Amino acid sequence: MSKTIIFILLAMTALANAALFDQVIDKEWLTFAMEHRKNYKDAAEEQLRHKIFKENRIKIAEHNRRFANGEVSFKMAVNEYSDLTSQEFSDLMTGLNNSELEEMRIFDQSLNGKTFISPDYVTLPESVDWRSEGAVTGVKNQKSCGSCWAFSTTGSLEGQHFRKTGNLVSLSEQNLVDCSGGSYGNHGCSGGTMTRAFKYIKDNGGIDTEESYPYKAVNDKCKFNRATIGATINGFVALPAGDEKKLAEAVATIGPISVAIHVVPGSFQHYSSGVYIEPKCNPKKINHAVLAVGYGTEGGRDFWLVKNSWGGSWGDKGYIKMLRNGNNQCGISSMACYPTV
């Protein structure tokens, strides 16, 4: 068989495989659009989203090939955000403005937070999961609103309220989005910090329940109702910046802890399982707030068990395992804090 014929056969095979791949992608696209109830404004918008979906699907397949070969530590999968570019995803789904971080630290230091004191004579367990203790509400979804800081705030307060009262009460993020601006310095869907939200809750005499003040994912007028308060606080504690050992002590002995991280859109966007290790993470570029609800070890790698606020279709049913004891990877211990009740 001549080289020309072999070349033609190989080219025909490649074309056939490409056509088959496109057919598979088209079927996955239809399933994706139906499952996540995607409604686009017109055919042009749908065509664009289909193209982005295909590009993301190719990246996911290549990443998972590397995972199968042991080259990376985590898997990726399609989720409800797979029709967004990395930049769109970052703009829509994070809520901490890195350009304001130094201003935030200076402002937050003026809020009179308490300093974390390590517990005496306590041997930390090898693993912790506050979900199994009943201290964590179900995974929530901030949607296209940069209110991650509000979800991190309610998450740690829900845990502390449960530990004090034995009752797990879902608290209102919308209350914080609408009411903790002004002198408290938060910006609703445009970002904020957990310590500012804690200051508001303390001064306000409490925060409403989720049921009484449901989430809308938009900035709205403050509708706080003192008759439907779900929890109160008397202050907050800020952990030493960058100290993962102190964070472990707090997670093990206190409960779920509010933390902030650097989200690298391309990989974080499609995380599905495994221990997330991302060399591009930068502790100085924190842009998203989440909740550390435990820690452990998997496959020889220490991890933080982190609850996100992007719904249950993202990650491992709304959670991610992030590298622990990895020189503060992604800034996981840079801005850790929790309320006192």
Side-chain angles (χ1 to χ4, degrees):
M1 187 178 295
S2 69
K3 291 183 179 179
T4 301
I5 294 175
I6 292 174
F7 177 80
I8 292 173
L9 289 173
L10 290 174
M12 291 175 64
T13 300
L15 287 172
N17 288 339
L20 180 61
F21 179 76
D22 284 342
Q23 291 177 12
V24 171
I25 292 293
D26 287 343
K27 289 181 180 179
E28 289 188 7
W29 166 254
L30 292 174
T31 300
F32 164 83
M34 290 180 62
E35 179 181 351
H36 300 295
R37 300 179 181 179
K38 297 289 183 175
N39 293 305
Y40 303 109
K41 62 181 180 180
D42 53 34
E45 172 72 6
E46 183 172 358
Q47 185 177 11
L48 172 63
R49 294 301 156 193
H50 186 184
K51 179 177 180 292
I52 294 170
F53 176 86
K54 180 178 179 180
E55 292 171 351
N56 282 331
R57 185 65 184 83
I58 292 171
K59 292 176 183 177
I60 291 168
E62 171 58 22
H63 178 92
N64 288 345
R65 181 195 64 77
R66 296 178 62 210
F67 175 81
N69 292 336
E71 298 173 27
V72 291
S73 60
F74 64 97
K75 292 183 69 175
M76 293 167 62
V78 168
N79 57 42
E80 66 179 287
Y81 308 108
S82 295
D83 60 347
L84 299 176
T85 66
S86 295
Q87 188 59 54
E88 287 175 325
F89 178 79
S90 180
D91 291 343
L92 287 172
M93 302 308 299
T94 57
L96 290 176
N97 188 337
N98 183 63
S99 65
E100 296 180 349
L101 278 181
E102 189 57 38
E103 176 189 338
M104 288 179 183
R105 292 190 182 98
I106 294 172
F107 184 96
D108 293 350
Q109 287 171 2
S110 70
L111 300 182
N112 299 319
K114 301 172 185 176
T115 301
F116 178 72
I117 300 176
S118 297
D120 292 329
Y121 312 112
V122 173
T123 301
L124 300 185
E126 292 185 1
S127 64
V128 174
D129 186 346
W130 284 103
R131 296 176 302 180
S132 63
E133 302 297 323
V136 184
T137 57
V139 172
K140 303 179 183 183
N141 195 336
Q142 70 186 72
K143 302 180 182 178
S144 55
C145 168
S147 56
C148 57
W149 56 274
F151 286 83
S152 179
T153 299
T154 58
S156 55
L157 180 50
E158 287 164 353
Q160 290 307 296
H161 182 76
F162 170 80
R163 294 206 69 194
K164 180 178 181 179
T165 67
N167 297 318
L168 182 63
V169 179
S170 184
L171 301 173
S172 174
E173 293 79 25
Q174 194 66 42
N175 184 173
L176 299 177
V177 169
D178 295 343
C179 308
S180 68
S183 63
Y184 294 99
N186 286 325
H187 304 287
C189 286
S190 298
T193 66
M194 296 78 79
T195 48
R196 298 180 188 190
F198 291 145
K199 175 65 172 172
Y200 160 77
I201 295 170
K202 177 185 177 182
D203 292 351
N204 190 56
I207 178 175
D208 280 342
T209 65
E210 188 85 60
E211 182 179 9
S212 67
Y213 200 154
Y215 187 66
K216 295 182 179 179
V218 294
N219 296 327
D220 204 349
K221 293 182 180 180
C222 182
K223 300 180 182 66
F224 170 75
N225 185 347
R226 196 162 301 281
T228 52
I229 287 175
T232 60
I233 71 173
N234 55 45
F236 71 91
V237 174
L239 276 67
D243 193 330
E244 288 193 76
K245 184 176 182 295
K246 296 293 186 184
L247 179 56
E249 291 174 354
V251 170
T253 62
I254 302 298
I257 304 296
S258 293
V259 295
I261 59 174
H262 176 213
V263 165
V264 178
S267 59
F268 204 95
Q269 179 176 352
H270 290 107
Y271 167 88
S272 67
S273 63
V275 178
Y276 182 77
I277 301 176
E278 174 53 84
K280 295 179 181 179
C281 262
N282 187 337
K284 296 182 180 180
K285 293 185 177 181
I286 290 170
N287 59 2
H288 187 52
V290 287
L291 186 71
V293 303
Y295 63 76
T297 303
E298 178 178 277
R301 297 185 178 97
D302 294 339
F303 68 81
W304 296 106
L305 180 61
V306 174
K307 180 187 180 185
N308 204 352
S309 52
W310 294 342
S313 85
W314 178 87
D316 185 358
K317 298 179 181 178
Y319 286 82
I320 183 172
K321 293 174 180 174
M322 300 187 68
L323 182 66
R324 177 168 60 97
N325 298 328
N327 294 319
N328 189 29
Q329 191 200 220
C330 298
I332 187 85
S333 60
S334 292
M335 294 179 68
C337 56
Y338 64 89
T340 54
V341 298

